[in-house]
């Protein structure tokens, strides 16, 4: 992908608690596009976002964001780089002691010296973009799961970032809320020219909006390409994941001793 | 046997690692240059939360402890016909020891546990992570104001505790049991030294405030982000703070008053 890559990972190795999460992952995420990172639960998709955001450091390998080598950045430079990033957490991660309006205003108040009336207008514009201008007085405890994520989305675009990372945005959402989020992610990407990284295991929704996708399993990328290329991918493991088959290269049964022996039928002696 | 030695070794390593983490954490919190414009309102809010809201428990406890000291002091001193020295006894006990120590124990239970639970819950709900990803350092935005607030509020609370305690002792000794008011205050004035007693007690409360606030914010920040993890961290805050206060009190008392 070369110079068009906004994020570039090369031979990234990362282990935690003695378990190897990534075993030499190489991936380029194109600028201005939606890239979906998919894979079964527990494969380290969220960990990948944290490596990109500099919250974790790889054991070895390179993580570059907009030309900056993230693991080598000084604390001050890392925080400056993060001002260009937005991240939508799975839980929304709204500040529970602040109202919807103040949550969205938070990054503006911290990072800019804009006058109050301008902050007011920007916050309302961002809330309008996610359809929640009327909910600005509510507290996070009064919001539904879908509304929480939309407010968090408004907050993450408050500073007009270049990159936005979505951590499981569709998990646990009803069909309407899911449809709203799919529309928002697509519209925000096209209207703001964002680079979007979407981590999810919801295959149809992710493939419907992404320009490029990759599937991670067992610390490796097992398939990548455009949605059409992935759907025609020859790997059985990729097809098992995309079609949600219960058995295949990833077995239904956890490895166990011979069944006859376990049930005391004498067959496994 | 080998397993026991191994588990003791592991425990030792865990303790050292935890001390190391807490030291680095403290350095991270204190290394930032305070920003008066944004930092001051946050500090005031936290002083209100950890200080002003702890006033009720501190005042009520101080009053009762002072009253009990008055009763006990009168009972013992009247045997020797020296009940007039009750003012001196109450003041020295409160200013030197009970004021700083009991306030610190109350502070750890009331404000310390609340700080740990609040920060732990912010960690569990990814609020701290989201702050980091917004380019805002949670050590400076969330932790530093709480640490400084505890450090500032605790000595003031200890002073209030001692003052209310002396007043409670006066209520019992003078108003109820009939000790002559002139000798109550006169003995107190002549025996309590500002530098040796009041200032040393104040220094103790400053140290206790810093230690209690440090333990509380560190336990919250370092906790396992689950319900069980937050519960365990809150318990640790109260236990470690209480033990640290009592241990440090012995050391400080030996240094300040151990001129034998």
């Amino acid at each position: 992908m070369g110079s068009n890559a906004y994020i570039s990972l090369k031979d990234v190795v990362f282990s935690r608690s003695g378990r190897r999460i990534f075993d030499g992952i190489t991936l380029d995420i194109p600028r201005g596009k939606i890239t979906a990172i998919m894979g079964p639960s527990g494969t380290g998709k969220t960990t990948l976002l944290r490596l990109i955001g500099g919250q974790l450091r790889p054991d070895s390998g390179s993580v570059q964001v907009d030309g900056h080598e993230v693991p080598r950045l000084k604390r001050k430079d890392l925080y400056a780089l993060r001002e260009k990033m937005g991240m939508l957490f799975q839980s929304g991660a709204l500040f529970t002691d602040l109202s919807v309006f103040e949550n969205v205003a938070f990054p503006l108040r911290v990072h800019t010296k804009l006058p109050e009336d301008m902050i007011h207008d920007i916050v309302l514009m961002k809330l309008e973009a996610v359809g929640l201008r009327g909910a600005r007085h509510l507290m996070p405890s009064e919001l539904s799961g879908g509304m929480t994520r939309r407010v968090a989305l408004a907050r993450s675009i408050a500073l007009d970032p270049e990159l936005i990372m979505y951590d499981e945005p569709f998990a646990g959402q009803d069909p309407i809320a899911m449809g709203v989020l799919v529309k928002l992610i697509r519209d925000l990407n096209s209207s703001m020219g964002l680079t979007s990284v979407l981590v999810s295991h919801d295959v149809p929704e992710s493939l419907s909006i992404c320009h490029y996708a990759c599937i991670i399993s067992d610390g490796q990328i097992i398939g990548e390409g455009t949605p059409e290329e992935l759907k025609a991918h020859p790997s059985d493991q990729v097809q098992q994941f995309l079609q949600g088959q219960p058995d295949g290269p990833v077995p239904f049964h956890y490895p166990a001793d011979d069944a006859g022996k376990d049930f005391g039928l004498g067959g496994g002696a | 046997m080998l397993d026991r030695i191994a588990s003791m070794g592991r425990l030792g390593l865990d303790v050292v690692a935890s001390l190391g983490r807490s030291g680095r954490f403290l350095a991270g919190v204190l290394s930032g240059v305070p920003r008066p414009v944004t930092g001051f309102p946050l500090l005031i809010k936290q002083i209100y939360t950890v200080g002003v809201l702890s006033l009720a428990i501190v005042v009520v406890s101080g009053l009762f402890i002072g009253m009990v000291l008055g009763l006990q002091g009168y009972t013992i001193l009247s045997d020797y016909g020296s009940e007039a020295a009750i003012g001196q006894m109450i003041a020295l006990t409160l200013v030197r020891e009970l004021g700083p120590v009991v306030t610190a124990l109350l502070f750890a239970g009331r404000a310390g546990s609340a700080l740990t639970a609040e920060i732990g819950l912010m960690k569990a709900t990814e609020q701290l992570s989201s702050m980091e990803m917004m380019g805002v350092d949670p050590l400076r935005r969330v932790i530093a104001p709480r640490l400084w607030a505890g450090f500032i509020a605790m000595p003031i609370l200890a002073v209030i505790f001692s003052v209310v305690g002396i007043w409670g002792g006066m209520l019992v000794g003078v108003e109820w049991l009939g000790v002559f008011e002139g000798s109550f205050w006169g003995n107190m004035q002549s025996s309590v030294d500002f530098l040796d007693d009041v200032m040393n007690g104040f220094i103790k409360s400053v140290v206790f405030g810093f230690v209690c606030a440090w333990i509380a914010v560190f336990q919250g920040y370092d906790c396992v982000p689950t319900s069980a993890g937050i519960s365990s961290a809150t318990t640790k805050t109260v236990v470690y703070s209480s033990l640290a206060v009592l241990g440090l009190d012995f050391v400080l008392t030996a240094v300040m008053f151990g001129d034998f």
Side-chain angles (χ1 to χ4, degrees):
Chain A
M1 208 156 287
S3 61
N4 194 32
Y6 188 80
I7 299 168
S8 183
L9 292 98
K10 280 201 188 86
D11 301 322
V12 172
V13 175
F14 180 76
S15 306
R16 189 157 50 190
S17 307
R19 186 181 151 230
R20 183 152 285 199
I21 312 280
F22 298 125
D23 197 7
I25 277 190
T26 296
L27 173 69
D28 281 342
I29 291 174
R31 193 182 292 269
K33 306 278 185 198
I34 302 176
T35 301
I37 295 170
M38 297 186 289
S41 298
T43 46
K45 303 186 294 293
T46 303
T47 306
L48 192 71
L49 294 188
R50 290 186 186 275
L51 285 167
I52 295 169
Q55 289 185 302
L56 296 172
R57 284 166 191 260
D59 301 337
S60 65
S62 155
V63 179
Q64 283 196 357
V65 175
D66 199 20
H68 300 281
E69 184 65 37
V70 175
R72 290 207 199 123
L73 285 178
K74 288 181 184 160
R75 194 178 176 85
K76 191 179 164 196
D77 298 331
L78 179 62
Y79 275 92
L81 179 66
R82 282 177 181 161
E83 288 177 36
K84 295 200 281 183
M85 301 179 183
M87 181 155 171
L88 181 70
F89 285 83
Q90 193 172 350
S91 62
L94 295 181
F95 303 129
T96 45
D97 57 335
L98 301 180
S99 67
V100 164
F101 182 93
E102 286 302 324
N103 261 286
V104 181
F106 181 84
L108 295 165
R109 291 197 200 286
V110 174
H111 291 303
T112 69
K113 289 179 179 163
L114 294 172
E116 193 55 36
D117 53 348
M118 201 174 279
I119 288 180
H120 175 266
D121 292 350
I122 294 174
V123 170
L124 290 194
M125 273 168 17
K126 302 296 176 188
L127 283 172
E128 176 73 13
V130 298
L132 291 176
R133 185 168 47 87
R136 62 183 180 274
H137 301 302
L138 298 179
M139 294 301 285
S141 58
E142 297 172 287
L143 302 175
S144 69
M147 288 165 81
T148 300
R149 278 183 212 181
R150 283 154 70 186
V151 174
L153 187 53
R155 186 179 65 178
S156 59
I157 56 170
L159 288 172
D160 294 332
E162 294 174 5
L163 165 71
I164 185 156
M165 296 185 276
Y166 301 92
D167 185 9
E168 301 281 8
F170 311 122
Q173 298 297 305
D174 65 64
I176 298 174
M178 206 182 266
V180 168
L181 285 165
V182 166
K183 173 182 160 24
L184 282 174
I185 293 170
R186 184 166 39 209
D187 291 354
L188 286 174
N189 183 263
S190 56
S191 63
M192 296 175 71
L194 292 165
T195 300
S196 306
V197 183
L198 171 67
V199 152
S200 177
H201 48 219
D202 293 289
V203 175
E205 288 76 17
S206 302
L207 290 186
S208 72
I209 51 172
C210 73
H211 302 100
Y212 192 78
C214 76
I215 300 177
I216 300 176
S217 184
D218 297 328
Q220 303 275 355
I221 293 175
I222 57 170
E224 59 183 310
T226 62
E228 289 70 31
E229 285 168 352
L230 266 188
K231 283 173 190 166
H233 202 281
S235 159
D236 289 343
Q237 209 175 340
V238 170
Q239 291 309 324
Q240 185 192 4
F241 179 77
L242 291 181
Q243 291 165 29
Q245 293 159 347
D247 210 352
V250 178
F252 173 71
H253 287 286
Y254 192 80
D257 287 339
D258 185 87
K261 187 180 166 189
D262 267 358
F263 287 112
L265 300 176
Chain B
M1 184 64 188
L2 273 176
D3 284 351
R4 277 189 191 172
I5 294 171
S7 67
M8 278 172 65
R10 216 170 10 250
L11 186 69
L13 285 175
D14 286 350
V15 170
V16 172
S18 179
L19 281 173
R21 282 201 307 278
S22 64
R24 283 180 58 189
F25 166 82
L26 186 64
V29 176
L30 298 180
S31 64
V33 181
R35 292 179 186 166
V37 178
T38 52
F40 192 66
L42 294 172
L43 179 65
I44 294 296
K45 189 181 171 197
Q46 289 309 319
I47 289 178
Y48 175 79
T49 310
V50 300
V52 176
L53 295 183
S54 302
L55 261 179
I57 188 173
V58 165
V59 167
V60 173
S61 307
L63 181 68
F64 280 114
I65 285 179
M67 286 162 68
V68 168
L69 280 176
L71 274 176
Q72 292 281 13
Y74 184 85
T75 312
I76 296 165
L77 292 173
S78 61
D79 285 348
Y80 305 97
S82 50
E83 61 270 20
I86 190 177
Q88 163 188 357
M89 189 213 82
I90 291 171
L92 285 178
T93 313
L94 281 169
V95 169
R96 283 184 176 190
E97 287 298 330
L98 290 184
V101 172
V102 177
T103 310
L105 296 177
L106 292 170
F107 182 81
R110 158 66 183 76
S113 56
L115 282 177
T116 304
E118 185 191 16
I119 295 169
L121 205 59
M122 287 181 86
K123 185 178 180 183
T125 52
E126 296 181 309
Q127 291 180 50
L128 298 182
S129 283
S130 73
M131 218 175 254
E132 276 183 5
M133 288 306 299
M134 274 185 249
V136 180
D137 188 349
L139 287 183
R140 301 205 182 137
R141 180 87 192 180
V142 176
I143 308 295
R146 285 163 174 77
L147 181 75
W148 286 113
F151 181 61
I152 293 167
M154 172 53 214
I156 299 171
L157 288 172
V159 169
I160 293 170
F161 182 96
S162 296
V163 169
V164 174
I166 291 169
W167 184 67
M170 192 274 294
L171 278 184
V172 168
V174 175
E175 303 293 336
W176 181 19
L177 299 171
V179 173
F180 178 54
E181 193 171 3
S183 40
F184 182 90
W185 294 114
N187 274 332
M188 195 186 297
Q189 272 184 317
S190 61
S191 61
V192 177
D193 184 79
F194 182 74
L195 282 180
D196 283 350
D197 301 316
V198 178
M199 278 316 289
N200 276 340
F202 188 77
I203 291 168
K204 274 187 180 181
S205 61
V206 169
V207 174
F208 297 161
F210 185 74
V211 171
C212 286
W214 179 17
I215 290 174
V217 292
F218 175 69
Q219 288 298 335
Y221 193 78
D222 196 52
C223 76
V224 180
T226 59
S227 342
I230 295 170
S231 155
S232 158
T234 313
T235 310
K236 278 184 191 166
T237 291
V238 178
V239 173
Y240 292 173
S241 300
S242 306
L243 293 177
V245 165
L246 296 171
L248 278 171
D249 184 47
F250 174 74
V251 175
L252 289 171
T253 305
V255 172
M256 291 169 172
F257 304 106
D259 189 18
F260 304 115

